[in-house]
Amino acid sequence: MDRRKFVKTSLAAGVAASFPLVAACGDKAKVATEAEAAVAAVSLDGAEIELSKAAIREFGEALSGPVLLSGDPGYDSARKIWNGMHDKHPALIARCRNTRDIQHAVDFARDNSLLLAVRGGGHSWPGKSVCEGGLMLDLAEMIRVDVDAGARTAWCDGGALLGNLDDATLAQGLVTTAGVVSHTGVGGYTLGGGFGRLNRKFGLTIDNLLAAEIVTADGKVHEVSADNEPDLFWAIRGGGGNFGAVSRFKYQLHPFDRNVLSGLIVWPIDQARDVLEFYAGWQGGLSRELYTGPAMMTHPELGQVIAMEVVYNGDPVQGEKELAPLRAIGKPAVDTVTVQDYKVLQTHEDATVAHGIRSYAKNAMIGEFSQALVDDMLDSFVADPRAAVFTHTCGGAVGDPGATDTAFPHRDVATMIVFFTGWMDPELDEEGKQICRDWHAALEKYSLGYYDNIEQDGDRRVANNFGPNFDRLRQVKGRFDPGNLFRLNSNIEPA
Ligand SMILES: Cc1cc2nc3c(=O)[nH]c(=O)nc-3n(C[C@H](O)[C@H](O)[C@H](O)COP(=O)(O)OP(=O)(O)OC[C@H]3O[C@@H](n4cnc5c(N)ncnc54)[C@H](O)[C@@H]3O)c2cc1C
């Protein structure tokens, strides 16, 4: 079976200011009607409020992008985010086109005490980038990426997708760490940490973040870096969207030959013990060039399988040598490992997890890939086509910074196990969530914490999870967002 067929799982079911406001200024009758007709909205603390249409019109006139109200063309597609379970109706959607637009939207939300959701790529599992009744600050039109090949850096808009970033950098023979599904947004992804297939060599995406332009709750624009507003720069490297709306990120890039030894090796599940036991003993000694980790799932054609995804970011001959013992295990049903374009792997799951899927995810950061973990992974395997576990292999450059060097504390980990369920039928929502929770519960005892970006219930345990960084994060939050305007995230309450 070829690789393309393998990745087409059953989950791939596949899924201008046009607000019609009034007319001419100076038309008194019209203005009076407008004043009467208000738009129902929800305040920051959840109360029902009303926004006058005159205020909305003034807001719309200040923005270069459209402000969309319910019933406007484009409103329904703009409010949809990736996870089909979140069907929310913002009172207003502000489609920002530049930093000035973001400032206007932040000012409008703050001045009206309006609930505010910031949408980057819209991949938030718990649906934090859309809100019921508030303002959705929508960055979907801000997707520009400017690569400076000489300096090996890229400025990337806050609404761009990982595919935009990869395309722009790879075209110049450069790359930075980007996640495994190309329609994920750089915004939430970067602010939470950023795991990807190159993280053992280049570190997390936050380790490649050189600077960012951010609009804070007072509407001010800050360009933050290690030298400028270092506390804020520290906080946005792992602290999520708590501190403002990021209009642009500046990334460090690395020279990269996009033809990499990469692919998938898949074994029937009855060989899972051999694969996992081998991996447990092997993964601690992997070179930084090699990224590989196990996944277990039920495939529509192959049945229950264990798979290892492989990317070797270096000389393929060396890569073949390092991979040889893995490829020699048992009898793989599929082995697609060959020298191929990095983009093949970077996009091969895109259709499997297409927009509109209903999905739940949890994860566990694992300190040691022990024999006990192997036994429990085998015992807890859920043979259900809606469920899968994946791993993001850590170690290498992920562990170079200390726990307090960036806001993201989980540096000393061997791997992250991701528990994923996906389905299409809304009637299966409760079942789909429960399968994921149960699988996670079976392995939670090995967890040192979680990666907030791939976690449905992150906001409940935020203090614990940030560990030694929590107090400093609260201080920074108190300084830049004392009114907690940016609260739709795993929220850090201001000190
Ligand atoms: C299919 C899929 C695959 C994934 N793969 C990976 C992976 O390989 N590696 C990995 O590390 N993670 C991965 N993730 C998790 C991903 O990092 C998070 O879902 C992340 O929040 C997505 O960012 P977004 O901009 O698309 O999300 P959004 O839903 O737009 O936003 C998520 C959160 O970030 C905030 N936010 C977004 N943009 C900005 C901004 N510019 N300024 C301020 N706040 C902002 C939002 O307000 C919200 O709180 C994956 C998620 C999905 C659904």
Side-chain angles (χ1 to χ4, degrees), residues 266-276 295-298 302-307 377-378 381-383:
V266 185
W267 297 261
I269 201 78
D270 60 10
Q271 296 174 51
R273 177 170 289 282
D274 292 343
V275 175
L276 285 179
M296 295 198 285
M297 66 196 78
T298 302
L302 298 171
Q304 295 158 25
V305 295
I306 182 161
M377 281 181 82
L378 293 166
F381 175 68
V382 177

Side-chain angles (χ1 to χ4, degrees), residues 228-314:
N228 199 27
E229 295 287 13
D231 280 346
L232 187 51
F233 183 57
W234 172 86
I236 64 167
R237 285 178 290 155
N242 272 285
F243 307 94
V246 176
S247 40
R248 298 193 307 151
F249 296 95
K250 184 182 185 185
Y251 298 108
Q252 177 74 65
L253 307 179
H254 310 272
F256 184 66
D257 180 349
R258 63 190 293 165
N259 296 307
V260 284
L261 184 69
S262 56
L264 280 169
I265 313 171
V266 185
W267 297 261
I269 201 78
D270 60 10
Q271 296 174 51
R273 177 170 289 282
D274 292 343
V275 175
L276 285 179
E277 286 185 349
F278 171 79
Y279 179 75
W282 183 61
Q283 53 86 33
L286 296 182
S287 71
R288 290 188 173 211
E289 281 70 28
L290 185 55
Y291 174 91
T292 182
M296 295 198 285
M297 66 196 78
T298 302
H299 185 270
E301 291 161 36
L302 298 171
Q304 295 158 25
V305 295
I306 182 161
M308 294 278 282
E309 197 186 84
V310 169
V311 177
Y312 188 83
N313 172 20

Side-chain angles (χ1 to χ4, degrees), residues 81-82 117-130 139 157-162 178-181 183-197 214 240-242 244-249 353 392 416 420 451-454 486 488-490:
I81 60 169
W82 170 81
V118 178
R119 182 204 194 274
H123 271 45
S124 164
W125 250 290
K128 302 282 190 181
S129 41
V130 63
L139 299 172
D157 278 359
L161 306 182
L162 297 180
V180 304
V181 171
H183 48 72
T184 307
V186 299
Y189 165 84
T190 302
L191 294 167
F195 286 81
R197 296 183 172 103
I214 180 167
N242 272 285
V246 176
S247 40
R248 298 193 307 151
F249 296 95
V353 287
H392 271 285
M416 169 180 26
F420 169 90
Y451 174 44
D452 187 64
N453 267 349
I454 309 187
F486 295 97
L488 289 183
N489 37 54
S490 282

